[in-house]
């Protein structure tokens, strides 16, 4: 057991959240043995927001609590297991974090960046017995406890009691699915208040009717309740508001009313949604109501979220479509540039990257120094042993440095290429320039000093 523990613990140190490298079944076995919930961080090597979230995991308060109270697992969504994980939990954006119980039931799913203290607050509430929502148990050998739990979740009363709405507003309990009637003089602001109200199911009002009303699975919730639920769930910041918003809009035959346009604007979250298409089809009307700049900003946020956080990542054609919402004139060029960067940073098909990058230089901008640099940087040591390849890389970097001569990275790479070519004079001059730039712009230049010694020994 000690060996398994040590070999699986690969991410994080004592001052950060410690993650295990294991599959879901392994995490469930560990969680059952330790009687803990499971925390899952989904990520990909190319995901920049994931790197931002990693900084939150180094918060000492968060690390201390999660390392003590959770089995923490990181899932690389580009791995085979990541693809299987996506099938079960429907990951759309990265990073997405999940909290599961020890049997693999979903309790919380958050698909946006969150601060350490927000996450810590949610985790503490979950461990105290609160639950935002749950899913069916993960498919493993069913235990007696799982069977009982499933029976409890699926056995719901079918009684429907509704009354005059004039003095009340209705929300749906995140735990049980029950509809809670709350006096309008006491609006529900937090999840804890809802849970407190839910626990008072034995109390009655003046007429003797219960405050808590449970709708059967076959009953249709009124639109006003669905709308209230969507806004309530938005406050929870757990992603569940998206499904609630869709449920409300499904009851609306006319989305163009002022009330529904406001609702659609409030709940826009994905470019691959009927709501986003409706906004595009009626963009002038939305701009008139909310302002042209506000609509443009909302579209930009959705597009860049999809480009940089969407999972799976957009294809070249999908990127072209996304950029057309922002800049129809240059959508092709922007999409090509995005796709080239994606291939470069994913580092799993360098041949295709170089092909696309060279096509871009010919078609759009032969003087794009960043592309020239990336092509030269992409060659492996083995490839650079071929004189033709090495000369091509040097030519690209000489061109890049002539365009942007204040880049430490450019000069450093060019000096390294000159060294491989055994061109001592050029290598020394370029390395000295790199060191000068490093000092000016306060870069770490330890590696270039090592290269300088190697050049002097040529």
């Amino acid at each position: 057991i000690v060996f398994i523990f040590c070999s699986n613990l690969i991410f994080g140190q004592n001052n950060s959240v410690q993650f295990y490298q294991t599959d879901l079944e392994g995490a469930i076995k560990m969680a059952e043995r330790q009687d803990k919930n499971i925390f899952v961080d989904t990520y990909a090597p190319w995901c920049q927001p994931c790197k931002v979230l990693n900084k939150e995991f180094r918060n000492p308060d968060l690390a201390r609590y999660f390392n003590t109270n959770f089995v923490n697992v990181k899932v690389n969504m580009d791995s085979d297991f990541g693809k299987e994980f996506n099938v079960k939990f429907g990951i759309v954006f990265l990073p997405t974090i999940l909290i599961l119980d020890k049997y693999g039931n979903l309790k919380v799913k958050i698909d946006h960046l969150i601060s350490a203290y927000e996450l810590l607050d949610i985790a503490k509430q979950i461990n105290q017995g609160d639950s935002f929502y749950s899913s069916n148990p993960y498919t493993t050998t069913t235990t007696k406890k799982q069977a009982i739990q499933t029976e409890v979740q699926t056995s719901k009363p079918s009684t429907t009691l509704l009354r005059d709405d004039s003095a009340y507003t209705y929300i749906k309990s995140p735990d049980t699915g029950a509809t809670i009637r709350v006096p309008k003089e006491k609006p529900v602001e937090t999840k804890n208040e809802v849970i407190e109200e839910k626990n008072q199911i034995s109390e009655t009002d003046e007429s003797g009717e219960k405050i808590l009303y449970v709708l059967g699975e076959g009953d249709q919730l009124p639109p006003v309740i669905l709308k209230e639920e969507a806004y309530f769930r938005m406050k929870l910041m757990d992603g569940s508001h998206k499904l609630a918003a869709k449920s409300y809009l499904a009851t609306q035959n006319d989305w163009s009313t002022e009330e529904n346009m406001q609702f659609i604007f409030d709940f826009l979250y994905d470019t691959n949604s009927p709501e986003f298409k409706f906004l595009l089809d009626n963009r002038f009307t939305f701009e008139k109501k909310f302002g042209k700049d506000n609509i443009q900003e909302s579209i930009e946020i959705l597009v860049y979220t999809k480009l940089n956080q969407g999972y799976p990542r957009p294809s070249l054609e999908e990127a072209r479509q996304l950029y057309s919402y922002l800049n129809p004139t240059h959508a092709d060029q922007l999409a090509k540039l995005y796709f080239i960067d994606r291939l470069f940073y994913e580092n799993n098909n360098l041949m295709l990257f170089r092909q696309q990058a060279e096509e871009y230089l010919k078609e759009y901008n032969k003087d794009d120094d960043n592309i020239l640099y990336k092509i030269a940087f992409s060659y492996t040591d083995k490839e650079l042993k071929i004189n033709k390849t090495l000369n091509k890389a040097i030519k690209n970097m000489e061109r890049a440095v002539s365009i942007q001569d204040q880049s430490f990275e450019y000069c450093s790479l060019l000096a390294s290429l000159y060294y491989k070519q055994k061109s001592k004079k050029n290598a020394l001059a370029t390395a000295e320039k790199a060191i000068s730039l490093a000092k000016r712009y306060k870069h770490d230049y330890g590696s270039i000093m090592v290269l300088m010694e190697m050049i002097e020994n040529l």
Side-chain angles (χ1 to χ4, degrees):
I1 292 174
V2 172
F3 172 77
I4 292 171
F5 178 87
C6 294
S7 63
N8 281 345
L9 187 60
I10 62 164
F11 296 106
Q13 303 299 326
N14 291 333
N15 60 347
S16 67
V17 176
Q18 297 174 341
F19 291 95
Y20 295 92
Q21 183 184 34
T22 182
D23 59 19
L24 190 54
E25 288 192 21
I28 289 172
K29 289 177 182 177
M30 197 179 304
E32 286 182 321
R33 186 170 65 246
Q34 299 179 24
D35 192 26
K36 294 179 180 179
N37 287 323
I38 302 167
F39 173 67
V40 181
D41 172 41
T42 65
Y43 76 101
W46 46 263
C47 173
Q48 293 302 315
C50 299
K51 295 178 175 63
V52 174
L53 185 60
N54 279 338
K55 295 178 182 177
E56 299 296 323
F57 294 149
R58 292 196 286 271
N59 178 286
D61 294 333
L62 183 75
R64 193 178 305 112
Y65 188 82
F66 272 69
N67 292 339
T68 303
N69 295 284
F70 286 88
V71 171
N72 307 305
V73 180
K74 264 190 183 291
V75 178
N76 182 349
M77 297 305 291
D78 284 348
S79 68
D80 290 339
F81 170 59
K83 293 168 185 175
E84 294 175 9
F85 191 85
N86 182 44
V87 171
K88 175 165 179 61
F89 292 105
I91 307 302
V92 177
F93 298 108
L94 295 181
T96 289
I97 56 178
L98 306 96
I99 293 179
L100 316 175
D101 68 15
K102 62 183 177 181
Y103 303 112
N105 299 321
L106 179 64
K107 299 173 78 68
V108 173
K109 179 179 178 182
I110 302 172
D111 62 359
H112 54 77
L113 287 174
I114 186 171
S115 73
Y117 289 106
E118 287 175 319
L119 180 56
L120 184 58
D121 181 59
I122 291 171
K124 286 181 177 179
Q125 292 186 61
I126 288 295
N127 278 345
Q128 289 165 5
D130 295 348
S131 176
F132 290 91
Y133 56 90
S134 61
S135 65
N136 293 326
Y138 177 67
T139 305
T140 57
T141 304
T142 304
T143 64
K144 183 177 180 180
K145 185 173 287 188
Q146 284 176 290
I148 294 171
Q149 181 183 38
T150 304
E151 182 179 348
V152 170
Q153 288 176 343
T154 55
S155 301
K156 297 181 181 178
S158 58
T159 304
T160 302
L161 291 173
L162 290 177
R163 55 175 292 169
D164 179 20
D165 287 339
S166 59
Y168 296 90
T169 184
Y170 289 82
I171 62 173
K172 193 175 180 184
S173 165
D175 287 349
T176 66
T179 298
I180 304 169
R181 185 163 58 88
V182 183
K184 288 184 178 177
E185 301 81 50
K186 181 187 174 184
V188 176
E189 295 295 338
T190 68
K191 178 168 67 61
N192 287 335
E193 291 177 33
V194 175
I195 293 169
E196 181 181 352
E197 184 76 23
K198 182 195 70 176
N199 290 334
Q200 298 174 354
I201 59 175
S202 61
E203 294 186 7
T204 57
D205 61 14
E206 294 177 356
S207 66
E209 291 181 303
K210 288 184 178 180
I211 293 177
L212 177 64
Y213 298 96
V214 180
L215 299 180
E217 290 183 358
D219 296 316
Q220 184 71 38
L221 286 171
V224 64
I225 298 177
L226 294 172
K227 186 178 179 183
E228 289 287 339
E229 179 187 9
Y231 280 106
F232 166 70
R233 286 186 175 274
M234 182 183 282
K235 294 179 182 180
L236 298 181
M237 298 190 304
D238 68 349
S240 62
H241 64 284
K242 298 172 185 177
L243 183 59
K246 285 188 177 297
S247 297
Y248 166 73
L249 288 173
T251 69
Q252 303 299 296
N253 295 324
D254 184 5
W255 285 11
S256 63
T257 66
E258 189 167 329
E259 180 183 6
N260 283 342
M261 286 180 65
Q262 179 69 60
F263 185 87
I264 288 169
F265 184 69
D266 290 342
F267 285 89
L268 280 173
Y269 67 91
D270 190 358
T271 57
N272 293 333
S273 68
E275 297 88 339
F276 185 73
K277 184 178 185 303
F278 181 79
L279 179 142
L280 293 178
D281 292 342
N282 300 274
R283 184 165 180 167
F284 177 76
T285 307
F286 274 90
E287 288 176 347
K288 188 175 180 181
K289 178 174 175 58
F290 300 104
K292 189 172 183 178
D293 290 343
N294 287 333
I295 296 300
Q296 178 66 19
E297 181 182 20
S298 294
I299 292 174
E300 285 179 359
I301 290 172
L302 292 172
V303 166
Y304 287 122
T305 297
K306 192 70 174 180
L307 288 168
N308 297 318
Q309 291 179 249
Y311 181 81
R313 301 205 76 183
S315 65
L316 179 58
E317 279 302 317
E318 289 169 337
R320 187 177 289 114
Q321 182 65 52
L322 289 166
Y323 278 113
S324 72
Y325 303 143
L326 304 178
N327 191 335
T329 305
H330 297 99
D332 287 347
Q333 181 178 355
L334 292 170
K336 187 89 167 187
L337 198 57
Y338 162 83
F339 192 62
I340 289 167
D341 276 350
R342 171 183 158 182
L343 290 171
F344 176 76
Y345 288 112
E346 288 179 357
N347 197 32
N348 57 10
N349 195 336
L350 292 177
M351 292 291 290
L352 180 59
F353 157 72
R354 291 174 200 144
Q355 176 192 334
Q356 294 286 330
E358 287 169 3
E359 286 179 7
Y360 179 88
L361 292 172
K362 291 177 183 177
E363 188 174 355
Y364 294 109
N365 183 7
K366 64 183 178 62
D367 293 329
D368 190 317
D369 55 283
N370 188 254
I371 296 291
L372 292 166
Y373 165 75
K374 286 175 178 174
I375 292 174
F377 187 89
S378 73
Y379 291 115
T380 64
D381 286 339
K382 183 177 179 181
E383 290 173 313
L384 290 172
K385 289 179 180 178
I386 303 171
N387 286 334
K388 184 178 179 181
T389 303
L390 178 59
N391 291 337
K392 184 175 182 180
I394 289 174
K395 184 178 180 181
N396 279 350
M397 283 316 303
E398 287 175 339
R399 180 66 180 156
V401 170
S402 71
I403 296 167
Q404 174 53 271
D405 64 354
Q406 296 299 300
S407 170
F408 163 74
E409 289 81 7
Y410 289 8
C411 291
S412 179
L413 178 56
L414 182 56
S416 174
L417 293 172
Y418 280 142
Y419 168 76
K420 293 180 186 298
Q421 194 186 45
K422 301 190 186 304
S423 179
K424 185 173 182 178
K425 181 179 178 181
N426 288 334
L428 278 174
T430 311
E432 287 171 355
K433 182 174 182 179
I435 293 170
S436 174
L437 290 170
K439 290 179 178 178
R440 184 187 307 174
Y441 298 111
K442 298 181 180 179
H443 288 293
D444 177 16
Y445 55 91
S447 60
I448 197 70
M449 291 299 295
V450 173
L451 177 62
M452 178 70 84
E453 292 181 14
M454 294 166 62
I455 294 170
E456 290 175 344
N457 290 329
L458 278 176

